[in-house]
PDB file of all heavy atoms in Angstrom:
ATOM      1  N   LEU A   6      -4.324  11.153  -1.108  1.00  0.00           N
ATOM      2  CA  LEU A   6      -4.888  12.494  -1.218  1.00  0.00           C
ATOM      3  C   LEU A   6      -6.284  12.454  -0.624  1.00  0.00           C
ATOM      4  O   LEU A   6      -7.069  11.564  -0.923  1.00  0.00           O
ATOM      5  CB  LEU A   6      -4.938  12.959  -2.674  1.00  0.00           C
ATOM      6  CG  LEU A   6      -3.595  13.225  -3.320  1.00  0.00           C
ATOM      7  CD1 LEU A   6      -3.800  13.650  -4.772  1.00  0.00           C
ATOM      8  CD2 LEU A   6      -2.823  14.279  -2.574  1.00  0.00           C
ATOM      9  N   ALA A   7      -6.577  13.399   0.244  1.00  0.00           N
ATOM     10  CA  ALA A   7      -7.880  13.418   0.906  1.00  0.00           C
ATOM     11  C   ALA A   7      -8.951  13.882  -0.052  1.00  0.00           C
ATOM     12  O   ALA A   7      -8.743  14.795  -0.846  1.00  0.00           O
ATOM     13  CB  ALA A   7      -7.830  14.335   2.114  1.00  0.00           C
ATOM     14  N   THR A   9     -11.784  16.041  -0.586  1.00  0.00           N
ATOM     15  CA  THR A   9     -12.193  17.249   0.122  1.00  0.00           C
ATOM     16  C   THR A   9     -13.688  17.316   0.371  1.00  0.00           C
ATOM     17  O   THR A   9     -14.141  18.121   1.158  1.00  0.00           O
ATOM     18  CB  THR A   9     -11.741  18.518  -0.632  1.00  0.00           C
ATOM     19  OG1 THR A   9     -12.241  18.462  -1.950  1.00  0.00           O
ATOM     20  CG2 THR A   9     -10.242  18.623  -0.640  1.00  0.00           C
ATOM     21  N   VAL A  12     -13.688  15.872   3.907  1.00  0.00           N
ATOM     22  CA  VAL A  12     -12.789  16.495   4.874  1.00  0.00           C
ATOM     23  C   VAL A  12     -12.990  18.004   4.833  1.00  0.00           C
ATOM     24  O   VAL A  12     -12.973  18.601   3.769  1.00  0.00           O
ATOM     25  CB  VAL A  12     -11.310  16.167   4.535  1.00  0.00           C
ATOM     26  CG1 VAL A  12     -10.386  16.841   5.505  1.00  0.00           C
ATOM     27  CG2 VAL A  12     -11.098  14.670   4.525  1.00  0.00           C
ATOM     28  N   PHE A  13     -13.188  18.608   6.007  1.00  0.00           N
ATOM     29  CA  PHE A  13     -13.289  20.065   6.069  1.00  0.00           C
ATOM     30  C   PHE A  13     -11.953  20.633   5.614  1.00  0.00           C
ATOM     31  O   PHE A  13     -10.924  20.327   6.168  1.00  0.00           O
ATOM     32  CB  PHE A  13     -13.592  20.498   7.504  1.00  0.00           C
ATOM     33  CG  PHE A  13     -13.708  21.977   7.642  1.00  0.00           C
ATOM     34  CD1 PHE A  13     -14.815  22.653   7.162  1.00  0.00           C
ATOM     35  CD2 PHE A  13     -12.700  22.690   8.248  1.00  0.00           C
ATOM     36  CE1 PHE A  13     -14.906  24.024   7.295  1.00  0.00           C
ATOM     37  CE2 PHE A  13     -12.787  24.063   8.382  1.00  0.00           C
ATOM     38  CZ  PHE A  13     -13.900  24.730   7.908  1.00  0.00           C
ATOM     39  N   ASN A  14     -11.948  21.439   4.586  1.00  0.00           N
ATOM     40  CA  ASN A  14     -10.695  21.841   3.976  1.00  0.00           C
ATOM     41  C   ASN A  14     -10.801  23.245   3.405  1.00  0.00           C
ATOM     42  O   ASN A  14     -11.598  23.494   2.522  1.00  0.00           O
ATOM     43  CB  ASN A  14     -10.340  20.863   2.859  1.00  0.00           C
ATOM     44  CG  ASN A  14      -8.962  21.094   2.314  1.00  0.00           C
ATOM     45  OD1 ASN A  14      -8.226  21.943   2.799  1.00  0.00           O
ATOM     46  ND2 ASN A  14      -8.607  20.342   1.307  1.00  0.00           N
ATOM     47  N   ARG A  15      -9.959  24.126   3.895  1.00  0.00           N
ATOM     48  CA  ARG A  15      -9.871  25.476   3.333  1.00  0.00           C
ATOM     49  C   ARG A  15      -8.600  25.640   2.516  1.00  0.00           C
ATOM     50  O   ARG A  15      -8.316  26.718   2.040  1.00  0.00           O
ATOM     51  CB  ARG A  15      -9.873  26.509   4.456  1.00  0.00           C
ATOM     52  CG  ARG A  15     -11.181  26.595   5.173  1.00  0.00           C
ATOM     53  CD  ARG A  15     -11.126  27.708   6.174  1.00  0.00           C
ATOM     54  NE  ARG A  15     -12.326  27.719   6.974  1.00  0.00           N
ATOM     55  CZ  ARG A  15     -12.517  28.492   7.991  1.00  0.00           C
ATOM     56  NH1 ARG A  15     -11.576  29.333   8.365  1.00  0.00           N
ATOM     57  NH2 ARG A  15     -13.619  28.450   8.668  1.00  0.00           N
ATOM     58  N   ARG A  16      -7.833  24.593   2.407  1.00  0.00           N
ATOM     59  CA  ARG A  16      -6.552  24.692   1.721  1.00  0.00           C
ATOM     60  C   ARG A  16      -6.732  24.857   0.224  1.00  0.00           C
ATOM     61  O   ARG A  16      -7.639  24.293  -0.369  1.00  0.00           O
ATOM     62  CB  ARG A  16      -5.728  23.436   1.988  1.00  0.00           C
ATOM     63  CG  ARG A  16      -5.364  23.313   3.425  1.00  0.00           C
ATOM     64  CD  ARG A  16      -4.455  22.142   3.616  1.00  0.00           C
ATOM     65  NE  ARG A  16      -4.346  21.852   5.031  1.00  0.00           N
ATOM     66  CZ  ARG A  16      -3.739  20.819   5.509  1.00  0.00           C
ATOM     67  NH1 ARG A  16      -3.160  19.968   4.704  1.00  0.00           N
ATOM     68  NH2 ARG A  16      -3.679  20.615   6.796  1.00  0.00           N
ATOM     69  N   ARG A  17      -5.816  25.591  -0.358  1.00  0.00           N
ATOM     70  CA  ARG A  17      -5.828  25.779  -1.805  1.00  0.00           C
ATOM     71  C   ARG A  17      -5.134  24.624  -2.494  1.00  0.00           C
ATOM     72  O   ARG A  17      -5.389  24.349  -3.654  1.00  0.00           O
ATOM     73  CB  ARG A  17      -5.128  27.091  -2.160  1.00  0.00           C
ATOM     74  CG  ARG A  17      -5.911  28.282  -1.679  1.00  0.00           C
ATOM     75  CD  ARG A  17      -5.316  29.582  -2.178  1.00  0.00           C
ATOM     76  NE  ARG A  17      -6.137  30.678  -1.713  1.00  0.00           N
ATOM     77  CZ  ARG A  17      -5.681  31.676  -0.996  1.00  0.00           C
ATOM     78  NH1 ARG A  17      -4.416  31.742  -0.678  1.00  0.00           N
ATOM     79  NH2 ARG A  17      -6.493  32.629  -0.601  1.00  0.00           N
ATOM     80  N   SER A  18      -4.185  23.963  -1.795  1.00  0.00           N
ATOM     81  CA  SER A  18      -3.474  22.824  -2.372  1.00  0.00           C
ATOM     82  C   SER A  18      -4.038  21.529  -1.812  1.00  0.00           C
ATOM     83  O   SER A  18      -4.575  21.511  -0.722  1.00  0.00           O
ATOM     84  CB  SER A  18      -1.989  22.855  -2.043  1.00  0.00           C
ATOM     85  OG  SER A  18      -1.538  24.065  -1.579  1.00  0.00           O
ATOM     86  N   LYS A  19      -3.876  20.462  -2.562  1.00  0.00           N
ATOM     87  CA  LYS A  19      -4.351  19.161  -2.094  1.00  0.00           C
ATOM     88  C   LYS A  19      -3.546  18.718  -0.889  1.00  0.00           C
ATOM     89  O   LYS A  19      -2.339  18.885  -0.843  1.00  0.00           O
ATOM     90  CB  LYS A  19      -4.220  18.127  -3.200  1.00  0.00           C
ATOM     91  CG  LYS A  19      -5.196  18.350  -4.311  1.00  0.00           C
ATOM     92  CD  LYS A  19      -5.310  17.133  -5.180  1.00  0.00           C
ATOM     93  CE  LYS A  19      -6.267  17.449  -6.286  1.00  0.00           C
ATOM     94  NZ  LYS A  19      -7.288  16.469  -6.417  1.00  0.00           N
ATOM     95  N   ARG A  20      -4.249  18.140   0.081  1.00  0.00           N
ATOM     96  CA  ARG A  20      -3.569  17.643   1.267  1.00  0.00           C
ATOM     97  C   ARG A  20      -3.243  16.179   1.087  1.00  0.00           C
ATOM     98  O   ARG A  20      -3.992  15.442   0.467  1.00  0.00           O
ATOM     99  CB  ARG A  20      -4.396  17.878   2.519  1.00  0.00           C
ATOM    100  CG  ARG A  20      -5.468  16.877   2.758  1.00  0.00           C
ATOM    101  CD  ARG A  20      -6.175  17.039   4.066  1.00  0.00           C
ATOM    102  NE  ARG A  20      -6.854  18.308   4.146  1.00  0.00           N
ATOM    103  CZ  ARG A  20      -7.315  18.822   5.259  1.00  0.00           C
ATOM    104  NH1 ARG A  20      -7.199  18.186   6.388  1.00  0.00           N
ATOM    105  NH2 ARG A  20      -7.923  19.977   5.270  1.00  0.00           N
ATOM    106  N   CYS A  21      -2.124  15.766   1.633  1.00  0.00           N
ATOM    107  CA  CYS A  21      -1.724  14.364   1.648  1.00  0.00           C
ATOM    108  C   CYS A  21      -1.815  13.877   3.083  1.00  0.00           C
ATOM    109  O   CYS A  21      -1.209  14.458   3.987  1.00  0.00           O
ATOM    110  CB  CYS A  21      -0.294  14.195   1.161  1.00  0.00           C
ATOM    111  SG  CYS A  21      -0.103  14.535  -0.588  1.00  0.00           S
ATOM    112  N   ASP A  44      -1.407  15.402   8.370  1.00  0.00           N
ATOM    113  CA  ASP A  44      -1.476  15.597   6.932  1.00  0.00           C
ATOM    114  C   ASP A  44      -0.735  16.871   6.582  1.00  0.00           C
ATOM    115  O   ASP A  44      -0.407  17.677   7.445  1.00  0.00           O
ATOM    116  CB  ASP A  44      -2.918  15.600   6.403  1.00  0.00           C
ATOM    117  CG  ASP A  44      -3.746  16.778   6.883  1.00  0.00           C
ATOM    118  OD1 ASP A  44      -3.263  17.925   6.825  1.00  0.00           O
ATOM    119  OD2 ASP A  44      -4.888  16.573   7.289  1.00  0.00           O
ATOM    120  N   ILE A  45      -0.443  16.997   5.297  1.00  0.00           N
ATOM    121  CA  ILE A  45       0.364  18.135   4.848  1.00  0.00           C
ATOM    122  C   ILE A  45      -0.051  18.515   3.435  1.00  0.00           C
ATOM    123  O   ILE A  45      -0.517  17.680   2.660  1.00  0.00           O
ATOM    124  CB  ILE A  45       1.876  17.794   4.919  1.00  0.00           C
ATOM    125  CG1 ILE A  45       2.738  19.036   4.718  1.00  0.00           C
ATOM    126  CG2 ILE A  45       2.235  16.687   3.934  1.00  0.00           C
ATOM    127  CD1 ILE A  45       4.187  18.842   5.098  1.00  0.00           C
ATOM    128  N   SER A  46       0.090  19.794   3.128  1.00  0.00           N
ATOM    129  CA  SER A  46      -0.083  20.289   1.767  1.00  0.00           C
ATOM    130  C   SER A  46       1.018  21.315   1.546  1.00  0.00           C
ATOM    131  O   SER A  46       1.774  21.629   2.464  1.00  0.00           O
ATOM    132  CB  SER A  46      -1.463  20.923   1.583  1.00  0.00           C
ATOM    133  OG  SER A  46      -1.545  22.139   2.296  1.00  0.00           O
ATOM    134  N   LEU A  47       1.086  21.861   0.356  1.00  0.00           N
ATOM    135  CA  LEU A  47       2.112  22.873   0.094  1.00  0.00           C
ATOM    136  C   LEU A  47       1.902  24.114   0.937  1.00  0.00           C
ATOM    137  O   LEU A  47       2.844  24.848   1.205  1.00  0.00           O
ATOM    138  CB  LEU A  47       2.129  23.245  -1.386  1.00  0.00           C
ATOM    139  CG  LEU A  47       2.569  22.137  -2.334  1.00  0.00           C
ATOM    140  CD1 LEU A  47       2.449  22.613  -3.778  1.00  0.00           C
ATOM    141  CD2 LEU A  47       3.972  21.671  -2.020  1.00  0.00           C
ATOM    142  N   GLY A  48       0.672  24.330   1.383  1.00  0.00           N
ATOM    143  CA  GLY A  48       0.367  25.538   2.147  1.00  0.00           C
ATOM    144  C   GLY A  48       0.385  25.385   3.652  1.00  0.00           C
ATOM    145  O   GLY A  48       0.470  26.364   4.378  1.00  0.00           O
ATOM    146  N   GLY A  49       0.307  24.145   4.162  1.00  0.00           N
ATOM    147  CA  GLY A  49       0.253  23.985   5.605  1.00  0.00           C
ATOM    148  C   GLY A  49       0.142  22.537   6.030  1.00  0.00           C
ATOM    149  O   GLY A  49       0.316  21.631   5.225  1.00  0.00           O
ATOM    150  N   ALA A  50      -0.182  22.338   7.316  1.00  0.00           N
ATOM    151  CA  ALA A  50      -0.256  20.988   7.861  1.00  0.00           C
ATOM    152  C   ALA A  50      -1.200  20.941   9.046  1.00  0.00           C
ATOM    153  O   ALA A  50      -1.507  21.967   9.653  1.00  0.00           O
ATOM    154  CB  ALA A  50       1.135  20.525   8.296  1.00  0.00           C
ATOM    155  N   GLU A  77       2.269  29.739  10.785  1.00  0.00           N
ATOM    156  CA  GLU A  77       1.312  30.484  11.603  1.00  0.00           C
ATOM    157  C   GLU A  77       0.162  29.543  11.954  1.00  0.00           C
ATOM    158  O   GLU A  77      -0.379  28.854  11.076  1.00  0.00           O
ATOM    159  CB  GLU A  77       0.786  31.664  10.798  1.00  0.00           C
ATOM    160  CG  GLU A  77      -0.316  32.419  11.467  1.00  0.00           C
ATOM    161  CD  GLU A  77      -0.901  33.500  10.572  1.00  0.00           C
ATOM    162  OE1 GLU A  77      -0.656  33.493   9.347  1.00  0.00           O
ATOM    163  OE2 GLU A  77      -1.635  34.348  11.106  1.00  0.00           O
ATOM    164  N   VAL A  79      -3.482  28.652  12.452  1.00  0.00           N
ATOM    165  CA  VAL A  79      -4.705  29.243  11.919  1.00  0.00           C
ATOM    166  C   VAL A  79      -5.960  28.675  12.571  1.00  0.00           C
ATOM    167  O   VAL A  79      -7.027  29.267  12.450  1.00  0.00           O
ATOM    168  CB  VAL A  79      -4.786  29.127  10.379  1.00  0.00           C
ATOM    169  CG1 VAL A  79      -3.724  30.003   9.725  1.00  0.00           C
ATOM    170  CG2 VAL A  79      -4.645  27.687   9.920  1.00  0.00           C
ATOM    171  N   TRP A  80      -5.850  27.530  13.225  1.00  0.00           N
ATOM    172  CA  TRP A  80      -6.969  26.996  13.995  1.00  0.00           C
ATOM    173  C   TRP A  80      -6.433  26.045  15.067  1.00  0.00           C
ATOM    174  O   TRP A  80      -5.311  25.557  14.968  1.00  0.00           O
ATOM    175  CB  TRP A  80      -8.025  26.328  13.121  1.00  0.00           C
ATOM    176  CG  TRP A  80      -7.555  25.169  12.275  1.00  0.00           C
ATOM    177  CD1 TRP A  80      -7.190  25.207  10.958  1.00  0.00           C
ATOM    178  CD2 TRP A  80      -7.411  23.803  12.679  1.00  0.00           C
ATOM    179  NE1 TRP A  80      -6.824  23.966  10.532  1.00  0.00           N
ATOM    180  CE2 TRP A  80      -6.955  23.075  11.569  1.00  0.00           C
ATOM    181  CE3 TRP A  80      -7.618  23.118  13.870  1.00  0.00           C
ATOM    182  CZ2 TRP A  80      -6.710  21.703  11.604  1.00  0.00           C
ATOM    183  CZ3 TRP A  80      -7.364  21.741  13.919  1.00  0.00           C
ATOM    184  CH2 TRP A  80      -6.923  21.060  12.783  1.00  0.00           C
ATOM    185  N   VAL A  88      -1.678  24.658  10.701  1.00  0.00           N
ATOM    186  CA  VAL A  88      -0.704  25.720  10.487  1.00  0.00           C
ATOM    187  C   VAL A  88      -0.616  26.046   9.004  1.00  0.00           C
ATOM    188  O   VAL A  88      -0.819  25.193   8.149  1.00  0.00           O
ATOM    189  CB  VAL A  88       0.706  25.338  11.026  1.00  0.00           C
ATOM    190  CG1 VAL A  88       0.684  25.163  12.527  1.00  0.00           C
ATOM    191  CG2 VAL A  88       1.264  24.107  10.342  1.00  0.00           C
ATOM    192  N   ARG A  89      -0.347  27.305   8.734  1.00  0.00           N
ATOM    193  CA  ARG A  89      -0.092  27.789   7.380  1.00  0.00           C
ATOM    194  C   ARG A  89       1.395  28.103   7.294  1.00  0.00           C
ATOM    195  O   ARG A  89       1.928  28.851   8.118  1.00  0.00           O
ATOM    196  CB  ARG A  89      -0.901  29.045   7.093  1.00  0.00           C
ATOM    197  CG  ARG A  89      -0.656  29.624   5.703  1.00  0.00           C
ATOM    198  CD  ARG A  89      -1.418  30.908   5.454  1.00  0.00           C
ATOM    199  NE  ARG A  89      -2.815  30.798   5.842  1.00  0.00           N
ATOM    200  CZ  ARG A  89      -3.432  31.681   6.638  1.00  0.00           C
ATOM    201  NH1 ARG A  89      -2.791  32.710   7.131  1.00  0.00           N
ATOM    202  NH2 ARG A  89      -4.701  31.518   6.945  1.00  0.00           N
ATOM    203  N   PHE A  90       2.061  27.524   6.314  1.00  0.00           N
ATOM    204  CA  PHE A  90       3.486  27.777   6.141  1.00  0.00           C
ATOM    205  C   PHE A  90       3.710  29.181   5.580  1.00  0.00           C
ATOM    206  O   PHE A  90       2.918  29.656   4.766  1.00  0.00           O
ATOM    207  CB  PHE A  90       4.119  26.768   5.174  1.00  0.00           C
ATOM    208  CG  PHE A  90       4.042  25.342   5.638  1.00  0.00           C
ATOM    209  CD1 PHE A  90       3.686  24.336   4.760  1.00  0.00           C
ATOM    210  CD2 PHE A  90       4.326  24.994   6.948  1.00  0.00           C
ATOM    211  CE1 PHE A  90       3.620  23.026   5.169  1.00  0.00           C
ATOM    212  CE2 PHE A  90       4.267  23.685   7.378  1.00  0.00           C
ATOM    213  CZ  PHE A  90       3.903  22.692   6.480  1.00  0.00           C
ATOM    214  N   GLU A  91       4.795  29.818   6.029  1.00  0.00           N
ATOM    215  CA  GLU A  91       5.177  31.086   5.414  1.00  0.00           C
ATOM    216  C   GLU A  91       5.527  30.825   3.963  1.00  0.00           C
ATOM    217  O   GLU A  91       5.999  29.746   3.603  1.00  0.00           O
ATOM    218  CB  GLU A  91       6.400  31.676   6.131  1.00  0.00           C
ATOM    219  CG  GLU A  91       6.066  32.350   7.419  1.00  0.00           C
ATOM    220  CD  GLU A  91       7.270  33.080   7.999  1.00  0.00           C
ATOM    221  OE1 GLU A  91       8.354  33.106   7.369  1.00  0.00           O
ATOM    222  OE2 GLU A  91       7.130  33.624   9.091  1.00  0.00           O
ATOM    223  N   LYS A  92       5.295  31.804   3.145  1.00  0.00           N
ATOM    224  CA  LYS A  92       5.577  31.663   1.715  1.00  0.00           C
ATOM    225  C   LYS A  92       7.063  31.376   1.506  1.00  0.00           C
ATOM    226  O   LYS A  92       7.921  32.028   2.094  1.00  0.00           O
ATOM    227  CB  LYS A  92       5.177  32.942   0.985  1.00  0.00           C
ATOM    228  CG  LYS A  92       5.171  32.788  -0.487  1.00  0.00           C
ATOM    229  CD  LYS A  92       4.453  33.921  -1.148  1.00  0.00           C
ATOM    230  CE  LYS A  92       4.460  33.647  -2.625  1.00  0.00           C
ATOM    231  NZ  LYS A  92       3.302  34.152  -3.281  1.00  0.00           N
ATOM    232  N   GLN A  96       9.031  28.058  -5.064  1.00  0.00           N
ATOM    233  CA  GLN A  96       8.012  27.011  -4.952  1.00  0.00           C
ATOM    234  C   GLN A  96       8.654  25.632  -4.880  1.00  0.00           C
ATOM    235  O   GLN A  96       8.202  24.767  -4.138  1.00  0.00           O
ATOM    236  CB  GLN A  96       7.040  27.091  -6.127  1.00  0.00           C
ATOM    237  CG  GLN A  96       5.934  26.068  -6.087  1.00  0.00           C
ATOM    238  CD  GLN A  96       4.954  26.281  -4.938  1.00  0.00           C
ATOM    239  OE1 GLN A  96       4.891  27.340  -4.341  1.00  0.00           O
ATOM    240  NE2 GLN A  96       4.203  25.253  -4.633  1.00  0.00           N
TER     241      GLN A  96
END
Side-chain angles (χ1 to χ4, degrees):
L6 291 179
T9 55
V12 178
F13 180 73
N14 188 3
R15 292 185 186 174
R16 295 185 193 173
R17 292 187 178 123
S18 345
K19 290 196 182 231
R20 81 174 62 194
C21 291
D44 66 47
I45 191 166
S46 70
L47 294 176
E77 174 186 15
V79 292
W80 59 263
V88 296
R89 179 183 312 129
F90 298 136
E91 281 188 3
K92 192 166 182 148
Q96 181 67 17

